[in-house]
Amino acid sequence: MKKIFLAFFVLNLASRVFALEKGTQLVIPDKVFIGDTVEVRYIFHSDVNLLFDDLDSDFSQLALSTDFRDFDALSDRCLVKSAGISRSASDYTLSLELVVWKTDVLDFPPFDLQALVLKSLPSGKRAASGGFWVDLEPIVVESIVKANGIASFMRHKPPILLPGTTGLIVVLSVLFLLLLFGIFFFLMRIPSISDFLSRVMLSATMKKNSRLAVKKLKRLQKKSGGMDDAQFALECQLILRAFLGAHFKEDFSSSTTYDLSRAFNRIFLDDVPIEFDRFVDIFSRTDYIRFARGKVDSEFQKDSEMDERKNLVDELVFTISALGREVSRKSVSADSHSQGGSL
């Protein structure tokens, strides 16, 4: 039994030694330093079909897997980036691309090339099984410090500027600082900007409200010839109520003259401008004309010296237009004063 086991061991060892093919190794570059990318080409001859069987005779080259236990054994000394094998007749070329990061001798242990081929074959491809061992020659990784006789490393030099770039860098730096200042200033001024926009919108709304009221009054005057005094007085009140409602953002559509007077006192804190006092007088006069028919002075006066309807419309047009301009001017000037004070 022992003789049979010994004979089997000797035959197995003999087959492995027989398959350990000696070839020619080429290392590029000749001198290898830490961090270099090194190409190792191992060229050998073998009558053993390593890549394909008779059914795959067109398969003459193969990219090998780098995830291989014999490559991983030297992972602390180098990295196998890529590997491949090609065949021309009975000549094979094994190529390895390495990145080395330790000095001294880099020596791959003998590895089974056929096992690596079988591991790397794409699906549908077949190759003969059996061991085929390759032993690469050691690679000497030198130290660049020792090779050049450097005793100490030189200090880093500052980056070299191209001619004319210094001024450009200064200009860009200044522009960048101005941009940062502008952004900071804008962020600080957001409340003022918001207030300014609100005032501008308010001014535009007031102007539009005034123009609309004036337009309605002029249209009323043109068609007033077919109206009696009570109807004309009612139309004047409707136009004036709409203007005041939009002006103060309140509903005056059903307010009496007394209610309007109280509302003005509340809005202006009992310091009612003369224009709004005059509006109260106009409402009192038009109420009297509407509801006191047949009584003394219950009609609009019209003779060669006076046309009360025309005078009423002209007064309302003038007052409403002045109010629209005054609100706009005060809005803008108030915003300018607030900005000047904050600056």
Side-chain angles (χ1 to χ4, degrees), residues 73-90:
L74 293 177
S75 60
D76 61 331
R77 306 183 65 83
C78 71
L79 170 67
V80 180
K81 292 178 63 178
S82 62
I85 186 171
S86 59
R87 178 181 186 272
S88 177
S90 297

Side-chain angles (χ1 to χ4, degrees), residues 82-116:
S82 62
I85 186 171
S86 59
R87 178 181 186 272
S88 177
S90 297
D91 293 326
Y92 292 85
T93 300
L94 172 65
S95 300
L96 301 178
E97 187 178 9
L98 318 172
V99 178
V100 296
W101 47 57
K102 273 194 177 182
T103 57
D104 209 351
V105 178
L106 176 63
D107 188 10
F108 282 91
F111 60 90
D112 186 356
L113 179 59
Q114 192 62 30
L116 180 57

Side-chain angles (χ1 to χ4, degrees), residues 243-264:
F243 167 75
L244 292 173
H247 190 87
F248 293 111
K249 302 297 181 183
E250 292 191 23
D251 183 14
F252 294 124
S253 59
S254 60
S255 299
T256 64
T257 301
Y258 178 70
D259 292 336
L260 286 172
S261 178
R262 290 178 57 190
F264 292 158

Side-chain angles (χ1 to χ4, degrees), residues 64 81 99 132 152 166 168 174 191 223 239 255 287 300 323:
L64 299 174
K81 292 178 63 178
V99 178
F132 190 91
S152 61
T166 304
L168 178 62
V174 172
K223 64 178 184 180
I239 295 172
S255 299
D287 276 346
F300 287 113
L323 284 174

Side-chain angles (χ1 to χ4, degrees), residues 65-289:
S65 172
T66 58
D67 184 15
F68 191 53
R69 61 182 183 277
D70 294 299
F71 295 160
D72 294 340
L74 293 177
S75 60
D76 61 331
R77 306 183 65 83
C78 71
L79 170 67
V80 180
K81 292 178 63 178
S82 62
I85 186 171
S86 59
R87 178 181 186 272
S88 177
S90 297
D91 293 326
Y92 292 85
T93 300
L94 172 65
S95 300
L96 301 178
E97 187 178 9
L98 318 172
V99 178
V100 296
W101 47 57
K102 273 194 177 182
T103 57
D104 209 351
V105 178
L106 176 63
D107 188 10
F108 282 91
F111 60 90
D112 186 356
L113 179 59
Q114 192 62 30
L116 180 57
V117 169
L118 291 172
K119 177 181 177 64
S120 307
L121 279 173
S123 59
K125 295 293 183 180
R126 294 175 293 174
S129 60
F132 190 91
W133 293 78
V134 171
D135 187 11
L136 299 178
E137 297 177 5
I139 301 172
V140 178
V141 183
E142 301 182 9
S143 170
I144 194 171
V145 175
K146 293 181 180 179
N148 295 322
I150 299 174
S152 61
F153 290 102
M154 298 177 65
R155 293 182 179 178
H156 293 290
K157 292 184 178 179
I160 300 175
L161 296 177
L162 296 176
T165 57
T166 304
L168 178 62
I169 291 175
V170 172
V171 172
L172 292 177
S173 300
V174 172
L175 291 177
F176 179 72
L177 291 176
L178 289 176
L179 178 62
L180 287 181
F181 178 77
I183 294 174
F184 176 77
F185 181 78
F186 176 78
L187 294 176
M188 293 295 293
R189 301 288 295 175
I190 283 179
S192 299
I193 294 172
S194 177
D195 184 63
F196 173 77
L197 293 177
S198 298
R199 290 177 181 275
V200 169
M201 293 178 64
L202 175 63
S203 172
T205 302
M206 293 301 183
K207 283 184 176 180
K208 182 179 179 181
N209 184 40
S210 297
R211 287 196 300 267
L212 183 61
V214 168
K215 186 177 180 180
K216 289 180 179 179
L217 286 169
K218 290 181 177 179
R219 188 184 301 119
L220 174 64
Q221 187 174 12
K222 287 182 180 180
K223 64 178 184 180
S224 63
M227 298 181 182
D228 60 12
D229 289 343
Q231 182 65 29
F232 184 84
L234 175 61
E235 293 294 332
C236 283
Q237 285 189 355
L238 292 177
I239 295 172
L240 192 53
R241 288 177 188 277
F243 167 75
L244 292 173
H247 190 87
F248 293 111
K249 302 297 181 183
E250 292 191 23
D251 183 14
F252 294 124
S253 59
S254 60
S255 299
T256 64
T257 301
Y258 178 70
D259 292 336
L260 286 172
S261 178
R262 290 178 57 190
F264 292 158
N265 286 322
R266 171 177 53 81
I267 293 171
F268 295 106
L269 302 178
D270 295 327
D271 187 16
V272 181
I274 189 173
E275 296 89 351
F276 295 94
D277 274 336
R278 180 57 185 151
F279 287 154
V280 174
D281 294 339
I282 291 173
F283 270 102
S284 297
R285 173 61 178 157
T286 52
D287 276 346
Y288 183 78
I289 291 176

